[in-house]
Amino acid sequence: MPENTETGLSPLPVAVIGSGPVGLAAAAHLLERGLTPVIFEAGDTPAAAVSAWGHIRLFSPWQYDVDAAARRLLAGTGWQEPEAEALPTGAELVEQYLRPLAAVPAIRSALHTSSEVLAVSREGLDKTRTGGRDMAPFLVRVRGADGGITDHRARAVIDASGTWSTPNPLGQAGLAAPGEAEAYAAGLITAPLPDITGRGRARFAGKHVLVVGAGHSAANTLLALGELAEQEPDTRISWAIRSPSAAGVYGGGDLDGLPARGALGGRLRGLVEDGRIDLHTSFTITGFKSAQTLTVEGATPSGEGQLEVDLLIPATGFRPNLDMLREIRLELDPAVEAPRALGPLIDPEFHSCGTVEPHGARLLSHPEKDFYITGMKSYGRAPTFLMATGHEQVRSIAAALAGDQEAADDVQLVLPETGVCSTDLGGSCDTDAAVGPGESSCCAPVPVAAPAAGAAEAAGSSCCSAPEPAFLGIPTGLAHGRSAEREN
């Protein structure tokens, strides 16, 4: 295997940021290539972000959720692969796959939990310095559980940290509304995709709850609140969207090509028409006032309006956190904040999950040699990411880092052309169910072209617009398409 001997960097590890499905898959592919990973996870357990939406069921069955290299790594450990056609929840994804993968000795010894990456740079060089840059090790600055700061040297960096920690703001023009930070601090705005009928039940029961957003994550949240309201009649539900109509969320009902998506919209429409959800259209949030309750100020066609609620649940999607990459030479698409070459291929105004071309290390590269952003974060603000896409991304990157450019360039992946892929209707995809961070149903498995040189062996994962949409089959909360997102 070719080594980077001319730079003297080959003995150093490859830093992987994040231990979600894509981060752990990256580690598995690096190990197969004879490279040494070092993995930094901000949470106190592997795949902590997935655990945060553990109650959400994925749209993709198990056979499309397990990375090929990860499967091979687990094969010798006594791991029992889950039933291929079963649809896991996020919690099951962690317990039955990601946690066992993280426990494999080669990965366990490389994994550092409670380790938040604060910055990535080049040792001895800031962003403005060019001379000798490609030969300098990366410097990854990490804050540990005790608050201590440690600098780690690496030959390459794979940022698979996702977008879960940076939800889109609720105000207009992509900006936080005045008073938004204070409302979050007061606990009056929740995290996205809360477990309304499970561990968060007591927080929402009997309260007036406002959901903001016009994507399928909003629909999932509203349906969960509707279920709670049936059992707790004092629970009131309001829904605010910027669009003048919710028709785009309702979808085509029985005419929808994806039955689960149609069922989702039909049930939501019924709750609105029955008066169980109070819908506010053409409502743009302009400010918040926090006291015992939350005052939501908005602009409407008739002037200014106000909503008085106990809690607000955001369902407006996510965006990448680029702050820690300030000293890295990035080249990003100006609209979606993905790698520049990838941006036009994933723009949600023109592409769905299934129309995105296969891509790997070459399209994910930046002017900073051997630095890559992968997974949901690689799609920037686009909500069209599929989990199988992430598996193929890191397979290609591992090949490139190992010097096998032919395998890195041989990216093969067939993705399902469909809408947002992450709802949680319960049940199975062949009934009225849908599953899935971040998105309607990608229930039908879609075959993937046989990949070369260790490429992922499966695809057809769910599309995620809310956490980590195949974004590993994780929900993201965005509407499927930039125009829809902007109208939330």
Side-chain angles (χ1 to χ4, degrees):
M1 172 179 44
E3 289 189 347
N4 194 6
T5 52
E6 69 235 51
T7 65
L9 298 180
S10 53
L12 295 177
V14 177
V16 178
I17 306 174
S19 68
V22 172
L24 291 180
H29 282 282
L30 290 169
L31 288 167
E32 278 200 338
R33 287 285 182 172
L35 303 176
T36 302
V38 57
I39 312 160
F40 301 108
E41 165 62 48
D44 57 5
T45 61
V50 181
S51 297
W53 51 266
H55 55 289
I56 300 293
R57 188 172 298 280
L58 304 186
F59 279 104
S60 51
W62 272 110
Q63 62 182 313
Y64 302 113
D65 297 333
V66 179
D67 172 73
R71 180 184 286 111
R72 292 189 288 269
L73 193 60
L74 284 163
T77 67
W79 174 69
Q80 295 296 310
E81 186 165 0
E83 182 182 350
E85 298 300 325
L87 299 161
T89 63
E92 290 166 344
L93 187 70
V94 171
E95 292 299 324
Q96 299 178 44
Y97 168 49
L98 298 177
R99 191 161 292 167
L101 180 58
V104 172
I107 290 185
R108 184 178 65 235
S109 62
L111 176 59
H112 301 264
T113 56
S114 299
S115 298
E116 179 187 5
V117 173
L118 301 177
V120 181
S121 187
R122 289 279 189 177
E123 187 175 59
L125 302 172
D126 66 23
K127 191 175 187 176
T128 67
R129 298 282 301 280
T130 300
R133 190 170 191 87
D134 291 351
M135 295 183 291
F138 283 94
L139 185 149
V140 182
R141 178 158 293 177
V142 177
R143 178 165 55 206
D146 61 357
I149 306 296
T150 306
D151 288 342
H152 298 259
R153 301 167 79 240
R155 60 169 290 184
V157 175
I158 301 174
D159 182 356
S161 58
T163 59
W164 178 252
S165 62
T166 48
N168 281 323
L170 292 162
Q172 61 179 318
L175 304 176
E180 185 170 334
E182 292 78 4
Y184 267 108
L188 299 173
I189 300 178
T190 75
L193 292 170
D195 188 0
I196 292 166
T197 59
R199 61 180 181 266
R201 180 188 183 94
R203 186 180 186 186
F204 300 100
K207 302 292 180 60
H208 182 190
V209 184
L210 171 66
V211 177
V212 178
H216 286 78
S217 291
N220 288 336
T221 300
L222 289 162
L223 289 175
L225 285 169
E227 179 183 341
L228 179 63
E230 288 182 0
Q231 303 161 6
E232 302 284 349
D234 290 338
T235 304
R236 294 176 56 201
I237 310 168
S238 292
W239 178 22
I241 60 176
R242 293 179 190 160
S243 172
S245 170
V249 186
Y250 298 150
D254 293 341
L255 300 178
D256 198 306
L258 293 169
R261 181 173 60 195
L264 173 74
R267 289 171 55 189
L268 181 58
R269 182 194 294 272
L271 292 176
V272 174
E273 292 179 348
D274 290 345
R276 295 161 66 187
I277 293 177
D278 186 13
L279 173 61
H280 300 266
T281 59
S282 300
F283 191 94
T284 298
I285 295 175
T286 58
F288 295 99
K289 293 181 180 178
S290 304
Q292 294 298 107
T293 58
L294 181 65
T295 301
V296 184
E297 300 173 332
T300 67
S302 59
E304 296 181 354
Q306 281 191 349
L307 296 172
E308 298 285 342
V309 300
D310 296 306
L311 290 169
L312 185 154
I313 302 176
T316 52
F318 298 80
R319 59 178 58 180
N321 178 4
L322 301 173
D323 290 346
M324 68 179 179
L325 306 180
R326 181 175 295 276
E327 293 302 323
I328 289 296
R329 293 183 174 183
L330 300 179
E331 191 170 44
L332 299 174
D333 178 83
V336 297
E337 295 182 339
R340 183 176 288 276
L342 179 62
L345 305 180
I346 63 172
D347 189 325
E349 290 191 337
F350 304 100
H351 297 280
S352 70
C353 302
T355 64
V356 175
E357 298 178 13
H359 56 278
R362 196 172 295 277
L363 262 65
L364 294 168
S365 64
H366 293 273
E368 197 74 70
K369 184 177 182 295
D370 292 340
F371 174 84
Y372 301 94
I373 300 175
T374 64
M376 187 64 218
K377 188 172 182 178
S378 73
Y379 271 41
R381 300 193 188 192
T384 48
F385 182 74
L386 290 172
M387 186 185 316
T389 301
H391 295 162
E392 180 65 354
Q393 286 180 342
V394 295
R395 181 210 62 82
S396 173
I397 290 168
L401 292 176
D404 190 349
Q405 195 60 48
E406 181 178 358
D409 289 340
D410 189 11
V411 287
Q412 300 183 37
L413 191 64
V414 177
L415 300 177
E417 183 171 359
T418 182
V420 180
C421 308
S422 136
T423 60
D424 189 11
L425 296 176
S428 63
C429 279
D430 56 1
T431 63
D432 66 345
V435 270
E439 289 128 52
S440 95
S441 170
C442 294
C443 298
V446 176
V448 179
E457 297 172 349
S461 324
S462 67
C463 172
C464 301
S465 342
E468 281 136 19
F471 147 101
L472 327 179
I474 299 172
T476 67
L478 292 178
H480 189 82
R482 184 183 298 159
S483 59
E485 177 190 344
R486 286 173 175 170
E487 291 175 356
N488 62 16

PDB file of all heavy atoms in Angstrom, residues 139-166:
ATOM      1  N   LEU A 139      -3.313  19.831  13.256  1.00  0.00           N
ATOM      2  CA  LEU A 139      -3.414  20.008  14.694  1.00  0.00           C
ATOM      3  C   LEU A 139      -4.895  20.040  15.056  1.00  0.00           C
ATOM      4  O   LEU A 139      -5.636  20.905  14.579  1.00  0.00           O
ATOM      5  CB  LEU A 139      -2.728  21.300  15.131  1.00  0.00           C
ATOM      6  CG  LEU A 139      -2.644  21.565  16.630  1.00  0.00           C
ATOM      7  CD1 LEU A 139      -1.391  22.367  16.956  1.00  0.00           C
ATOM      8  CD2 LEU A 139      -3.869  22.321  17.134  1.00  0.00           C
ATOM      9  N   VAL A 140      -5.328  19.085  15.863  1.00  0.00           N
ATOM     10  CA  VAL A 140      -6.736  18.979  16.269  1.00  0.00           C
ATOM     11  C   VAL A 140      -6.805  19.303  17.755  1.00  0.00           C
ATOM     12  O   VAL A 140      -6.274  18.565  18.590  1.00  0.00           O
ATOM     13  CB  VAL A 140      -7.290  17.571  15.988  1.00  0.00           C
ATOM     14  CG1 VAL A 140      -8.775  17.498  16.362  1.00  0.00           C
ATOM     15  CG2 VAL A 140      -7.089  17.194  14.523  1.00  0.00           C
ATOM     16  N   ARG A 141      -7.421  20.416  18.061  1.00  0.00           N
ATOM     17  CA  ARG A 141      -7.517  20.865  19.452  1.00  0.00           C
ATOM     18  C   ARG A 141      -8.805  20.337  20.077  1.00  0.00           C
ATOM     19  O   ARG A 141      -9.902  20.565  19.556  1.00  0.00           O
ATOM     20  CB  ARG A 141      -7.464  22.388  19.522  1.00  0.00           C
ATOM     21  CG  ARG A 141      -7.597  22.959  20.930  1.00  0.00           C
ATOM     22  CD  ARG A 141      -7.010  24.356  21.002  1.00  0.00           C
ATOM     23  NE  ARG A 141      -5.557  24.318  20.809  1.00  0.00           N
ATOM     24  CZ  ARG A 141      -4.787  25.410  20.766  1.00  0.00           C
ATOM     25  NH1 ARG A 141      -5.315  26.608  20.897  1.00  0.00           N
ATOM     26  NH2 ARG A 141      -3.475  25.289  20.584  1.00  0.00           N
ATOM     27  N   VAL A 142      -8.673  19.653  21.217  1.00  0.00           N
ATOM     28  CA  VAL A 142      -9.794  18.926  21.824  1.00  0.00           C
ATOM     29  C   VAL A 142      -9.943  19.326  23.284  1.00  0.00           C
ATOM     30  O   VAL A 142      -8.951  19.432  24.022  1.00  0.00           O
ATOM     31  CB  VAL A 142      -9.560  17.397  21.718  1.00  0.00           C
ATOM     32  CG1 VAL A 142     -10.688  16.636  22.404  1.00  0.00           C
ATOM     33  CG2 VAL A 142      -9.450  16.979  20.252  1.00  0.00           C
ATOM     34  N   ARG A 143     -11.202  19.540  23.688  1.00  0.00           N
ATOM     35  CA  ARG A 143     -11.508  19.779  25.104  1.00  0.00           C
ATOM     36  C   ARG A 143     -12.098  18.512  25.699  1.00  0.00           C
ATOM     37  O   ARG A 143     -13.096  17.988  25.220  1.00  0.00           O
ATOM     38  CB  ARG A 143     -12.491  20.939  25.259  1.00  0.00           C
ATOM     39  CG  ARG A 143     -12.877  21.199  26.732  1.00  0.00           C
ATOM     40  CD  ARG A 143     -13.544  22.546  26.897  1.00  0.00           C
ATOM     41  NE  ARG A 143     -14.698  22.661  26.014  1.00  0.00           N
ATOM     42  CZ  ARG A 143     -15.170  23.828  25.562  1.00  0.00           C
ATOM     43  NH1 ARG A 143     -14.567  24.966  25.871  1.00  0.00           N
ATOM     44  NH2 ARG A 143     -16.230  23.857  24.775  1.00  0.00           N
ATOM     45  N   GLY A 144     -11.478  18.025  26.764  1.00  0.00           N
ATOM     46  CA  GLY A 144     -11.921  16.795  27.412  1.00  0.00           C
ATOM     47  C   GLY A 144     -13.000  17.028  28.457  1.00  0.00           C
ATOM     48  O   GLY A 144     -13.430  18.156  28.705  1.00  0.00           O
ATOM     49  N   ALA A 145     -13.432  15.946  29.080  1.00  0.00           N
ATOM     50  CA  ALA A 145     -14.508  16.013  30.065  1.00  0.00           C
ATOM     51  C   ALA A 145     -14.140  16.883  31.257  1.00  0.00           C
ATOM     52  O   ALA A 145     -15.012  17.509  31.878  1.00  0.00           O
ATOM     53  CB  ALA A 145     -14.861  14.600  30.535  1.00  0.00           C
ATOM     54  N   ASP A 146     -12.866  16.953  31.585  1.00  0.00           N
ATOM     55  CA  ASP A 146     -12.427  17.756  32.720  1.00  0.00           C
ATOM     56  C   ASP A 146     -12.176  19.210  32.349  1.00  0.00           C
ATOM     57  O   ASP A 146     -11.726  20.009  33.182  1.00  0.00           O
ATOM     58  CB  ASP A 146     -11.164  17.157  33.333  1.00  0.00           C
ATOM     59  CG  ASP A 146      -9.989  17.108  32.342  1.00  0.00           C
ATOM     60  OD1 ASP A 146     -10.183  17.491  31.164  1.00  0.00           O
ATOM     61  OD2 ASP A 146      -8.890  16.686  32.749  1.00  0.00           O
ATOM     62  N   GLY A 147     -12.447  19.561  31.100  1.00  0.00           N
ATOM     63  CA  GLY A 147     -12.220  20.935  30.655  1.00  0.00           C
ATOM     64  C   GLY A 147     -10.827  21.202  30.146  1.00  0.00           C
ATOM     65  O   GLY A 147     -10.542  22.285  29.638  1.00  0.00           O
ATOM     66  N   GLY A 148      -9.952  20.217  30.264  1.00  0.00           N
ATOM     67  CA  GLY A 148      -8.576  20.389  29.802  1.00  0.00           C
ATOM     68  C   GLY A 148      -8.487  20.396  28.284  1.00  0.00           C
ATOM     69  O   GLY A 148      -9.275  19.747  27.593  1.00  0.00           O
ATOM     70  N   ILE A 149      -7.522  21.141  27.755  1.00  0.00           N
ATOM     71  CA  ILE A 149      -7.332  21.274  26.313  1.00  0.00           C
ATOM     72  C   ILE A 149      -6.093  20.491  25.890  1.00  0.00           C
ATOM     73  O   ILE A 149      -5.017  20.624  26.493  1.00  0.00           O
ATOM     74  CB  ILE A 149      -7.162  22.751  25.905  1.00  0.00           C
ATOM     75  CG1 ILE A 149      -8.337  23.590  26.432  1.00  0.00           C
ATOM     76  CG2 ILE A 149      -7.032  22.864  24.388  1.00  0.00           C
ATOM     77  CD1 ILE A 149      -9.670  23.221  25.854  1.00  0.00           C
ATOM     78  N   THR A 150      -6.247  19.665  24.851  1.00  0.00           N
ATOM     79  CA  THR A 150      -5.138  18.858  24.342  1.00  0.00           C
ATOM     80  C   THR A 150      -5.052  19.024  22.830  1.00  0.00           C
ATOM     81  O   THR A 150      -6.077  19.028  22.144  1.00  0.00           O
ATOM     82  CB  THR A 150      -5.343  17.367  24.670  1.00  0.00           C
ATOM     83  OG1 THR A 150      -5.549  17.204  26.069  1.00  0.00           O
ATOM     84  CG2 THR A 150      -4.122  16.557  24.241  1.00  0.00           C
ATOM     85  N   ASP A 151      -3.842  19.175  22.317  1.00  0.00           N
ATOM     86  CA  ASP A 151      -3.623  19.241  20.874  1.00  0.00           C
ATOM     87  C   ASP A 151      -3.142  17.877  20.377  1.00  0.00           C
ATOM     88  O   ASP A 151      -2.202  17.304  20.928  1.00  0.00           O
ATOM     89  CB  ASP A 151      -2.578  20.305  20.539  1.00  0.00           C
ATOM     90  CG  ASP A 151      -3.108  21.719  20.730  1.00  0.00           C
ATOM     91  OD1 ASP A 151      -4.344  21.887  20.777  1.00  0.00           O
ATOM     92  OD2 ASP A 151      -2.287  22.649  20.831  1.00  0.00           O
ATOM     93  N   HIS A 152      -3.797  17.376  19.330  1.00  0.00           N
ATOM     94  CA  HIS A 152      -3.447  16.090  18.743  1.00  0.00           C
ATOM     95  C   HIS A 152      -2.936  16.305  17.319  1.00  0.00           C
ATOM     96  O   HIS A 152      -3.470  17.121  16.573  1.00  0.00           O
ATOM     97  CB  HIS A 152      -4.676  15.165  18.698  1.00  0.00           C
ATOM     98  CG  HIS A 152      -5.238  14.836  20.042  1.00  0.00           C
ATOM     99  ND1 HIS A 152      -4.983  13.646  20.678  1.00  0.00           N
ATOM    100  CD2 HIS A 152      -6.042  15.553  20.865  1.00  0.00           C
ATOM    101  CE1 HIS A 152      -5.617  13.633  21.851  1.00  0.00           C
ATOM    102  NE2 HIS A 152      -6.260  14.784  21.976  1.00  0.00           N
ATOM    103  N   ARG A 153      -1.909  15.559  16.927  1.00  0.00           N
ATOM    104  CA  ARG A 153      -1.353  15.632  15.583  1.00  0.00           C
ATOM    105  C   ARG A 153      -1.960  14.516  14.733  1.00  0.00           C
ATOM    106  O   ARG A 153      -2.146  13.398  15.206  1.00  0.00           O
ATOM    107  CB  ARG A 153       0.164  15.509  15.622  1.00  0.00           C
ATOM    108  CG  ARG A 153       0.820  16.596  16.455  1.00  0.00           C
ATOM    109  CD  ARG A 153       2.275  16.289  16.734  1.00  0.00           C
ATOM    110  NE  ARG A 153       3.132  16.597  15.584  1.00  0.00           N
ATOM    111  CZ  ARG A 153       3.890  15.726  14.953  1.00  0.00           C
ATOM    112  NH1 ARG A 153       3.889  14.448  15.335  1.00  0.00           N
ATOM    113  NH2 ARG A 153       4.651  16.092  13.941  1.00  0.00           N
ATOM    114  N   ALA A 154      -2.260  14.825  13.474  1.00  0.00           N
ATOM    115  CA  ALA A 154      -2.873  13.841  12.590  1.00  0.00           C
ATOM    116  C   ALA A 154      -2.366  14.040  11.171  1.00  0.00           C
ATOM    117  O   ALA A 154      -1.989  15.153  10.778  1.00  0.00           O
ATOM    118  CB  ALA A 154      -4.396  13.968  12.619  1.00  0.00           C
ATOM    119  N   ARG A 155      -2.344  12.964  10.389  1.00  0.00           N
ATOM    120  CA  ARG A 155      -1.914  13.044   8.992  1.00  0.00           C
ATOM    121  C   ARG A 155      -3.049  13.512   8.089  1.00  0.00           C
ATOM    122  O   ARG A 155      -2.810  14.029   6.998  1.00  0.00           O
ATOM    123  CB  ARG A 155      -1.404  11.699   8.506  1.00  0.00           C
ATOM    124  CG  ARG A 155      -2.429  10.568   8.558  1.00  0.00           C
ATOM    125  CD  ARG A 155      -1.963   9.329   7.812  1.00  0.00           C
ATOM    126  NE  ARG A 155      -1.950   9.532   6.373  1.00  0.00           N
ATOM    127  CZ  ARG A 155      -1.666   8.589   5.490  1.00  0.00           C
ATOM    128  NH1 ARG A 155      -1.338   7.372   5.906  1.00  0.00           N
ATOM    129  NH2 ARG A 155      -1.693   8.825   4.202  1.00  0.00           N
ATOM    130  N   ALA A 156      -4.299  13.297   8.521  1.00  0.00           N
ATOM    131  CA  ALA A 156      -5.478  13.683   7.758  1.00  0.00           C
ATOM    132  C   ALA A 156      -6.629  13.856   8.738  1.00  0.00           C
ATOM    133  O   ALA A 156      -6.562  13.395   9.886  1.00  0.00           O
ATOM    134  CB  ALA A 156      -5.821  12.632   6.709  1.00  0.00           C
ATOM    135  N   VAL A 157      -7.686  14.520   8.284  1.00  0.00           N
ATOM    136  CA  VAL A 157      -8.853  14.757   9.139  1.00  0.00           C
ATOM    137  C   VAL A 157     -10.121  14.466   8.345  1.00  0.00           C
ATOM    138  O   VAL A 157     -10.286  14.934   7.210  1.00  0.00           O
ATOM    139  CB  VAL A 157      -8.902  16.211   9.668  1.00  0.00           C
ATOM    140  CG1 VAL A 157     -10.193  16.459  10.457  1.00  0.00           C
ATOM    141  CG2 VAL A 157      -7.683  16.496  10.544  1.00  0.00           C
ATOM    142  N   ILE A 158     -11.019  13.680   8.954  1.00  0.00           N
ATOM    143  CA  ILE A 158     -12.352  13.419   8.402  1.00  0.00           C
ATOM    144  C   ILE A 158     -13.366  13.967   9.383  1.00  0.00           C
ATOM    145  O   ILE A 158     -13.513  13.450  10.490  1.00  0.00           O
ATOM    146  CB  ILE A 158     -12.579  11.910   8.170  1.00  0.00           C
ATOM    147  CG1 ILE A 158     -11.538  11.351   7.198  1.00  0.00           C
ATOM    148  CG2 ILE A 158     -13.993  11.658   7.655  1.00  0.00           C
ATOM    149  CD1 ILE A 158     -11.608   9.835   7.043  1.00  0.00           C
ATOM    150  N   ASP A 159     -14.052  15.022   8.989  1.00  0.00           N
ATOM    151  CA  ASP A 159     -15.045  15.657   9.859  1.00  0.00           C
ATOM    152  C   ASP A 159     -16.410  15.037   9.588  1.00  0.00           C
ATOM    153  O   ASP A 159     -17.060  15.329   8.584  1.00  0.00           O
ATOM    154  CB  ASP A 159     -15.079  17.167   9.605  1.00  0.00           C
ATOM    155  CG  ASP A 159     -16.062  17.892  10.530  1.00  0.00           C
ATOM    156  OD1 ASP A 159     -16.768  17.215  11.307  1.00  0.00           O
ATOM    157  OD2 ASP A 159     -16.123  19.138  10.458  1.00  0.00           O
ATOM    158  N   ALA A 160     -16.848  14.166  10.478  1.00  0.00           N
ATOM    159  CA  ALA A 160     -18.157  13.514  10.382  1.00  0.00           C
ATOM    160  C   ALA A 160     -19.002  13.901  11.591  1.00  0.00           C
ATOM    161  O   ALA A 160     -19.744  13.088  12.139  1.00  0.00           O
ATOM    162  CB  ALA A 160     -17.990  11.998  10.306  1.00  0.00           C
ATOM    163  N   SER A 161     -18.900  15.166  11.990  1.00  0.00           N
ATOM    164  CA  SER A 161     -19.548  15.613  13.229  1.00  0.00           C
ATOM    165  C   SER A 161     -21.027  15.916  13.078  1.00  0.00           C
ATOM    166  O   SER A 161     -21.706  16.197  14.059  1.00  0.00           O
ATOM    167  CB  SER A 161     -18.825  16.845  13.780  1.00  0.00           C
ATOM    168  OG  SER A 161     -18.823  17.898  12.835  1.00  0.00           O
ATOM    169  N   GLY A 162     -21.560  15.873  11.845  1.00  0.00           N
ATOM    170  CA  GLY A 162     -22.995  16.063  11.669  1.00  0.00           C
ATOM    171  C   GLY A 162     -23.441  17.494  11.867  1.00  0.00           C
ATOM    172  O   GLY A 162     -22.632  18.427  11.920  1.00  0.00           O
ATOM    173  N   THR A 163     -24.756  17.659  11.999  1.00  0.00           N
ATOM    174  CA  THR A 163     -25.355  18.991  12.143  1.00  0.00           C
ATOM    175  C   THR A 163     -26.328  19.068  13.309  1.00  0.00           C
ATOM    176  O   THR A 163     -26.956  20.098  13.502  1.00  0.00           O
ATOM    177  CB  THR A 163     -26.093  19.390  10.856  1.00  0.00           C
ATOM    178  OG1 THR A 163     -27.113  18.419  10.576  1.00  0.00           O
ATOM    179  CG2 THR A 163     -25.148  19.462   9.660  1.00  0.00           C
ATOM    180  N   TRP A 164     -26.461  18.000  14.062  1.00  0.00           N
ATOM    181  CA  TRP A 164     -27.486  17.927  15.106  1.00  0.00           C
ATOM    182  C   TRP A 164     -27.368  19.054  16.127  1.00  0.00           C
ATOM    183  O   TRP A 164     -28.366  19.536  16.654  1.00  0.00           O
ATOM    184  CB  TRP A 164     -27.409  16.574  15.811  1.00  0.00           C
ATOM    185  CG  TRP A 164     -28.373  16.396  16.934  1.00  0.00           C
ATOM    186  CD1 TRP A 164     -28.088  16.367  18.273  1.00  0.00           C
ATOM    187  CD2 TRP A 164     -29.784  16.235  16.832  1.00  0.00           C
ATOM    188  NE1 TRP A 164     -29.230  16.186  19.012  1.00  0.00           N
ATOM    189  CE2 TRP A 164     -30.293  16.102  18.146  1.00  0.00           C
ATOM    190  CE3 TRP A 164     -30.683  16.183  15.761  1.00  0.00           C
ATOM    191  CZ2 TRP A 164     -31.656  15.917  18.407  1.00  0.00           C
ATOM    192  CZ3 TRP A 164     -32.041  16.013  16.029  1.00  0.00           C
ATOM    193  CH2 TRP A 164     -32.506  15.885  17.332  1.00  0.00           C
ATOM    194  N   SER A 165     -26.176  19.484  16.413  1.00  0.00           N
ATOM    195  CA  SER A 165     -25.984  20.488  17.468  1.00  0.00           C
ATOM    196  C   SER A 165     -26.240  21.909  17.008  1.00  0.00           C
ATOM    197  O   SER A 165     -26.172  22.844  17.813  1.00  0.00           O
ATOM    198  CB  SER A 165     -24.554  20.397  18.027  1.00  0.00           C
ATOM    199  OG  SER A 165     -23.606  20.686  17.010  1.00  0.00           O
ATOM    200  N   THR A 166     -26.534  22.106  15.711  1.00  0.00           N
ATOM    201  CA  THR A 166     -26.737  23.471  15.208  1.00  0.00           C
ATOM    202  C   THR A 166     -28.037  23.569  14.401  1.00  0.00           C
ATOM    203  O   THR A 166     -28.006  23.630  13.167  1.00  0.00           O
ATOM    204  CB  THR A 166     -25.544  23.917  14.332  1.00  0.00           C
ATOM    205  OG1 THR A 166     -25.232  22.874  13.390  1.00  0.00           O
ATOM    206  CG2 THR A 166     -24.328  24.221  15.176  1.00  0.00           C
TER     207      THR A 166
END
